[in-house]
Amino acid sequence: MRGLKQSLDSILQNRLTRHLLFWIGLATIFISLASVNTGTIKANVANYLALLPVQMAAAYLLNYYQIPNQLFKKKYLQFFVGLVLSIYVFTALGRLFIIYIAEPFFREDFIQESFTEIVMDAPYLFAVYFPSVYIYALVMILIRAFQNRQKEKHTIEVLQKEKAFNELRFLKAQIQPHFLFNTLNNLYGLTLTKSDLAPEVVLKLSEILDFILYQSNEPRIEIEKELELLNAYIELESLRHGDKLGVTFHHEIDDIKMTIAPLLLLPLVENAFKHGISPTNNKSGIVLDLRVKSGKLQFTSKNQKGKNLPSGPIKSSNSGIGITNLKRQLALNYPKKYDFRVLDNEEKFEVQLQLELL
């Protein structure tokens, strides 16, 4: 079945083949309908073959010259005059061909009109022969209009996909310096205190950057890999904060091979640590919950309000880039398939994300 479809597509890609099928198909339809009404096939076939050269000339002149080169270029006077003249010429030729070529094949006793009588009877030519001569031209106009509309629609879709793809690449590129800035800020604090944890933090950071730089380039990754990234980040933060940090991360996933757009959840976890860690000796509480069931993801992040002061001279003017970035990625990757909410009060900050993965 697939091979047959490919063969048909290959045939239809040939322009000459498409035009031959157009004329043969319409001829079959019109001759069959006319034969049913009149009861004779011979006369209809003769009339069709006699009119065919005139119909083809009228159709191609109108569709490939008059409309694109005159009407579309706003040469309205040329188009109108040319159309009127061509209608007159082609309808007169059509009647001449019918009377002098077709009718002798199926009529015996009849009087042929003279050339002058034929060409001077303009009202009859327009009323009787215009529909017969220009029916194919009108059908071709409709087909070409539909084809052009489909091409425009396809072009727009391709441009939109390219725009979305480029925007997603830019958003992912933003995550890297944003994440790196925050982690270097933390590492700076450790170096000031000459902490023995600094080398281990650097090692863990290299593992996370390896994922961000090299393993998240696909449009979708297995949710198992996203989970590994989150665990690695939590371990990184746990190294830095030690006993001051209380983190609960519960995850329940019915299919770890299900795919998700990469780096969607990291900004939420990072945001919880960034704004939920208190600089005092009070133990900070962060609760993360990830559930995936039947293709639907639910993620909740809760943290106590803390005032996360910078550890040194490194400062950021893009503190909200993570959440802003995430909202745009959701809109591009999962249009109308997500619900994102932020609950903010004096004591607690909570983020809720619901997502249809399928």
Side-chain angles (χ1 to χ4, degrees):
M1 190 68 180
R2 186 175 181 181
L4 178 62
K5 183 178 182 301
Q6 291 177 344
S7 299
L8 290 175
D9 290 340
S10 177
I11 292 173
L12 293 176
Q13 286 177 0
N14 185 284
R15 189 175 185 180
L16 177 61
T17 303
R18 292 199 306 270
H19 283 257
L20 286 175
L21 291 175
F22 169 80
W23 291 104
I24 293 173
L26 288 183
T28 302
I29 294 173
F30 287 128
I31 290 175
S32 300
L33 292 175
S35 300
V36 170
N37 292 330
T38 61
T40 174
I41 296 178
K42 182 179 179 180
N44 290 316
V45 171
N47 286 334
Y48 172 76
L49 293 177
L51 278 177
L52 182 61
V54 180
Q55 292 169 329
M56 293 180 69
Y60 287 114
L61 177 65
L62 179 61
N63 281 277
Y64 289 92
Y65 179 75
Q66 291 175 321
I67 290 179
N69 295 316
Q70 294 179 340
L71 180 61
F72 288 167
K73 293 184 178 180
K74 299 182 179 181
K75 299 177 181 179
Y76 299 121
L77 181 60
Q78 293 182 24
F79 174 74
F80 178 76
V81 173
L83 181 61
V84 171
L85 289 176
S86 60
I87 289 175
Y88 174 73
V89 170
F90 288 133
T91 53
L93 287 174
R95 189 178 181 191
L96 286 169
F97 285 8
I98 289 292
I99 291 175
Y100 287 96
I101 297 177
E103 289 188 350
F105 280 96
F106 58 88
R107 293 183 65 181
E108 297 179 357
D109 299 324
F110 68 99
I111 300 175
Q112 291 180 330
E113 293 93 333
S114 66
F115 176 82
T116 303
E117 290 176 328
I118 292 174
V119 299
M120 294 300 294
D121 195 359
Y124 183 80
L125 291 176
F126 183 81
V128 176
Y129 281 86
F130 172 74
S132 299
V133 171
Y134 273 86
I135 181 66
Y136 293 94
L138 297 176
V139 172
M140 189 178 289
I141 288 175
L142 294 176
I143 293 176
R144 283 172 59 82
F146 176 77
Q147 288 177 334
N148 290 336
R149 175 57 183 162
Q150 292 299 110
K151 288 180 181 178
E152 290 176 2
K153 185 178 179 182
H154 176 69
T155 301
I156 292 173
E157 289 177 351
V158 169
L159 291 175
Q160 288 177 338
K161 287 180 179 179
E162 288 180 354
K163 179 177 179 293
F165 175 74
N166 290 330
E167 189 171 349
L168 279 172
R169 285 204 307 179
F170 173 73
L171 291 171
K172 285 184 180 180
Q174 278 187 313
I175 289 176
Q176 297 165 17
H178 176 251
F179 168 79
L180 187 59
F181 171 86
N182 290 333
T183 308
L184 287 177
N185 196 37
N186 296 338
L187 186 59
Y188 178 83
L190 293 176
T191 57
L192 284 181
T193 60
K194 298 182 180 179
S195 172
D196 295 334
L197 295 175
E200 196 170 352
V201 169
V202 172
L203 181 62
K204 186 61 67 175
L205 173 61
S206 67
E207 295 176 2
I208 296 175
L209 285 179
D210 176 72
F211 179 89
I212 294 177
L213 292 172
Y214 303 111
Q215 300 183 42
S216 62
N217 293 324
E218 298 296 327
R220 295 288 187 272
I221 62 171
E222 294 177 356
I223 200 167
E224 180 182 22
K225 293 184 178 180
E226 188 81 1
L227 182 60
E228 291 175 357
L229 175 64
L230 299 183
N231 283 323
Y233 182 79
I234 293 172
E235 291 176 12
L236 178 64
E237 289 296 324
S238 299
L239 282 173
R240 176 178 177 242
H241 296 287
D243 295 336
K244 288 175 56 178
L245 181 63
V247 182
T248 302
F249 183 23
H250 177 266
H251 47 84
E252 185 177 334
I253 303 172
D254 61 357
D255 183 5
I256 58 175
K257 299 300 180 182
M258 186 165 292
T259 58
I260 185 175
L263 305 176
L264 276 184
L265 303 180
L266 179 62
L268 298 178
V269 177
E270 185 183 3
N271 191 69
F273 280 97
K274 182 178 179 181
H275 300 289
I277 303 299
S278 173
T280 66
N281 293 325
N282 296 329
K283 189 171 184 178
S284 301
I286 297 175
V287 179
L288 306 172
D289 187 86
L290 172 62
R291 300 174 188 271
V292 180
K293 185 176 181 180
S294 302
K296 293 184 179 180
L297 178 147
Q298 290 183 330
F299 182 82
T300 304
S301 170
K302 301 178 183 178
N303 61 268
Q304 298 171 351
K305 281 282 186 76
K307 193 173 183 180
N308 189 22
L309 300 176
S311 301
I314 303 176
K315 296 182 180 179
S316 171
S317 59
N318 298 314
S319 59
I321 191 173
I323 297 298
T324 303
N325 188 318
L326 171 65
K327 289 180 179 179
R328 187 56 184 155
Q329 287 206 62
L330 287 170
L332 290 171
N333 280 298
Y334 300 98
K336 299 181 180 180
K337 292 186 177 182
Y338 73 94
D339 181 50
F340 182 73
R341 300 183 183 184
V342 176
L343 307 176
D344 192 0
N345 56 49
E346 294 182 358
E347 297 180 354
K348 189 178 295 186
F349 186 82
E350 180 176 346
V351 173
Q352 298 176 354
L353 172 63
Q354 294 184 5
L355 189 64
E356 294 183 22
L357 298 177
L358 297 179

